[in-house]
Amino acid sequence: MTSDNGFGYERVETVERLREFHEVVGTVFVGGGPALDAWVDAFRSRLAVDDFRVATDRGRIVGTYRSFAQRVTTVGAGSVPTRGVTAVTVLPTHRRRGILTRLMADGLDDALADGAAAVTLIAAEYGIYGRFGFGPATDAAGFRIDVERAGLGPVGDVDLRFVTGADYLTASTAVHAGVVIPGKVSRPPTEGERRAGLLLADVPDTTHRVVLYRDDLPVGVVAYRVDELWEDNMPGSTLRVVELLGVDADAERTLWRFVGSVDWVTKVVTGPRPVDDVVGELAANPRAVVQRERSDHLWLRPLDVPAMFTARTFAAPGRLVLDVDDPGWGRGQGPAHGRFVIATEGGAGTCARTDEPADLALPVTSLPRLWTSDDTVTRRVAAGDVAEQTPGAAARADLLLFSPRRPWAVDGF
Ligand SMILES: CC(C)(COP(=O)(O)OP(=O)(O)OC[C@H]1O[C@@H](n2cnc3c(N)ncnc32)[C@H](O)[C@@H]1OP(=O)(O)O)[C@@H](O)C(=O)NCCC(=O)NCCS
C-alpha cells in the first residue's frame, strides 16, 4: 500500500472489499446498476482477472477504479490490445483532492508497462479525461422512431424466434463476435449477461429476447423492453431497444423492421447507436426516425502510436508524418509524444518514429478520431484540433484514412 494526500491506494483482493467497492460505486452512480448481491456474484470471478483499485481514508474505500483487458477493432477489421477503464468514482466527501488523478496515473503507468496500445473509457462528463490525454474516438447517437409514420415495412419470411435468457446470451455472444465495425470493443465482462437481462436482481425480468436465424445459425439478436400504454382504448406503447445487432446489413435491416412492426408499439427508442446507422434510410418516411442525444461515446488514450496505426488499413498509398504533442499524465512526457511516419501501400501500412518534417501537428487528444476515421482531417483542421504543417496535407490524409463506416464501440462499459 502506498500513500498520497493522506489517502491509501491499494488493489482489491477480497470479496468483502469487492462488496465495499460496489457500495461506493452505487453511492456515486445513483441507480441503474444491478443490486449488490447480484453484482458481487457476477464479479467475484473477475477479482483475479480485472484490476480493481481503490483509494482509502482511514481504511474505508472513498475512490474506485476498475480496468480490464480489452481489444478495439481497427479500420480494416484488425484489432489492438487496450485496457478498458470503468467504475471511476470518488465519494462526494472526497472530491477535488487529487484521488482520480492518482488512480488514473497509476492505471496508465500499469497499462503502458503491460504493453496496451491504448486505454479506453466512456466518459460520464466531457471535461474529466482530456487532462490525462484521453480524446473522443467515436460518436454515437440514440434513435427515436415514430412507428406509425416511419413505415419500416414488413419483416418478410424470416426465421425469428423468442428465446430464453441463456439461449439469447449464447446467440448474442456469437453475433457480437461476428460484428465487424471500427471502434468496436471486445465484449466487456458481464455486458452480455446485462443485455440479456440476466444481471438484474430484485426486479422482474421484462426483457424480450429475439434471435434471427439463417440455416439455424444466429445472425442477429434484439433484446427489448416495452413500456405499455393505452389511451382512449388506443395503444401507445414504447419499445426500448436494449441491443440490436446483426452480423450483416441484411440481418440488421430485418431486426429494424421487426421492432418497427410489433403491435401496440407506437414508439421505438434506442441507446447509443452508430451515427451512420441505416435505420433512417429504411423508413418510408425518414423524418419519422429522429437521431437524438448525439455526442462523443468511446474515449481513447493513445499509448503506442506505431502499434495503433500499423494495426489498421489505409485506403490509398502514401506517406504522412504526424507530430503529436503528448504532455503525459503528470509523470513526465507522454508515450505518444513525437513524430511518427505512416507509410502505406496496398491497403496495409507501417508506423514508426521519425525525424522527418511533419505534415500534421496535433495534441494527443485529437489522435483517436484520426485513428478511427471518425471524422475527416479536413474538418478537424477547420475545427482547430489539427494543424496543417505542409499545404494539402489534410486532403492527402483524408484519402489515406478514408473508412466506409463510421466507428462505433457497440458496447458501453
Ligand atoms: C469525476 C471524479 C471521479 C473526479 O474525482 P476527483 O478525485 O474529484 O478528481 P481530482 O481531484 O483528481 O481532479 C483532477 C482534476 O479534474 C478536474 N475535474 C474533476 N472532475 C471533473 C468534472 N466532472 N468535470 C470537469 N473537471 C473535473 C478537477 O477540477 C481537477 O482539475 P485541476 O487539476 O485543474 O485542479 C468525481 O468527481 C466523481 O466521482 N464524479 C461522479 C462520478 C463520475 O462522473 N465518474 C466518472 C465516470 S466516467
Side-chain angles (χ1 to χ4, degrees):
M1 189 199 298
T2 54
S3 174
D4 197 34
N5 295 344
F7 303 124
Y9 291 90
E10 60 188 75
R11 285 207 159 86
V12 172
E13 270 153 16
T14 64
V15 174
E16 292 68 40
R17 221 32 170 176
L18 191 64
R19 178 173 283 271
E20 194 188 342
F21 182 102
H22 189 60
E23 278 169 347
V24 170
V25 173
T27 304
V28 175
F29 293 164
V30 193
L36 186 58
D37 287 341
W39 189 90
V40 172
D41 280 349
F43 279 88
R44 187 185 297 265
S45 64
R46 303 298 308 177
L47 251 186
V49 191
D50 296 355
D51 180 14
F52 293 83
R53 50 182 77 202
V54 294
T56 61
D57 184 10
R58 282 162 283 190
R60 301 291 300 166
I61 297 177
V62 294
T64 64
Y65 176 107
R66 179 166 78 88
S67 78
F68 54 90
Q70 183 190 58
R71 295 194 77 86
V72 175
T73 303
T74 63
V75 172
S79 70
V80 288
T82 57
R83 280 201 83 81
V85 171
T86 184
V88 173
T89 71
V90 172
L91 285 176
T93 46
H94 286 72
R95 286 187 186 151
R96 308 301 180 264
R97 289 152 78 181
I99 289 178
L100 169 63
T101 303
R102 169 64 192 267
L103 288 169
M104 184 57 81
D106 288 351
L108 289 172
D109 279 352
D110 286 357
L112 184 62
D114 282 355
V119 174
T120 68
L121 51 78
I122 311 274
E125 291 191 85
Y126 197 92
I128 304 174
Y129 296 105
R131 73 194 68 243
F132 304 111
F134 286 83
T138 74
D139 275 0
F143 287 86
R144 186 179 59 234
I145 305 169
D146 178 336
V147 170
E148 285 166 344
R149 288 199 169 100
L152 282 170
V155 179
D157 185 15
V158 293
D159 184 0
L160 281 165
R161 305 178 207 166
F162 277 92
V163 297
T164 63
D167 286 349
Y168 182 88
L169 182 58
T170 305
S172 74
T173 303
V175 170
H176 183 278
V179 170
V180 179
I181 187 165
K184 183 182 102 164
V185 297
S186 50
R187 186 136 262 198
T190 73
E191 180 67 2
E193 288 82 349
R194 191 186 70 75
R195 291 189 183 240
L198 298 173
L199 203 61
L200 296 163
D202 305 328
V203 293
D205 175 13
T206 55
T207 311
H208 300 272
R209 311 167 182 94
V210 176
V211 177
L212 172 66
Y213 293 89
R214 234 181 255 150
D215 301 326
D216 273 335
L217 288 173
V219 293
V221 287
V222 56
Y224 63 92
R225 301 198 181 94
V226 177
D227 303 337
E228 192 177 335
L229 179 77
W230 290 81
E231 256 177 354
D232 302 326
N233 279 335
M234 302 275 274
S237 302
T238 297
L239 184 153
R240 299 188 180 280
V241 174
V242 178
E243 169 166 79
L244 187 154
L245 287 178
V247 295
D248 54 30
D250 189 45
E252 289 225 341
R253 284 196 298 266
T254 299
L255 296 171
W256 281 122
R257 291 197 172 106
F258 170 70
V259 297
S261 63
V262 175
D263 283 351
W264 302 356
V265 168
T266 55
K267 194 159 71 166
V268 171
V269 293
T270 79
R273 301 281 311 169
V275 295
D276 62 355
D277 200 308
V278 292
V279 59
E281 319 308 317
L282 304 180
N285 179 356
R287 289 188 199 174
V289 179
V290 178
Q291 208 180 82
R292 61 195 191 110
E293 294 175 353
R294 177 178 166 163
S295 70
D296 54 284
H297 191 226
L298 184 75
W299 286 57
L300 189 142
R301 203 296 166 207
L303 296 176
D304 187 341
V305 178
M308 285 170 62
F309 280 91
T310 302
R312 58 160 285 171
T313 58
F314 299 88
R319 275 176 93 75
L320 187 72
V321 178
L322 304 179
D323 190 358
V324 182
D325 178 25
D326 182 0
W329 46 85
R331 294 178 178 171
Q333 203 167 62
H337 192 82
R339 251 177 264 164
F340 302 89
V341 59
I342 298 167
T344 70
E345 204 177 336
T350 57
C351 178
R353 287 192 178 273
T354 184
D355 293 328
E356 292 171 52
D359 294 309
L360 299 168
L362 65 164
V364 64
T365 50
S366 297
L367 198 58
R369 280 198 199 276
L370 256 65
W371 180 64
T372 57
S373 297
D374 177 67
D375 199 359
T376 65
V377 178
T378 302
R379 191 160 175 276
R380 299 328 295 180
V381 168
D385 285 348
V386 176
E388 235 180 2
Q389 305 294 98
T390 53
R396 211 154 39 78
D398 279 334
L399 291 178
L400 246 69
L401 298 173
F402 172 78
S403 167
R405 281 300 307 267
R406 295 291 297 270
W408 181 40
V410 182
D411 283 327
F413 53 95

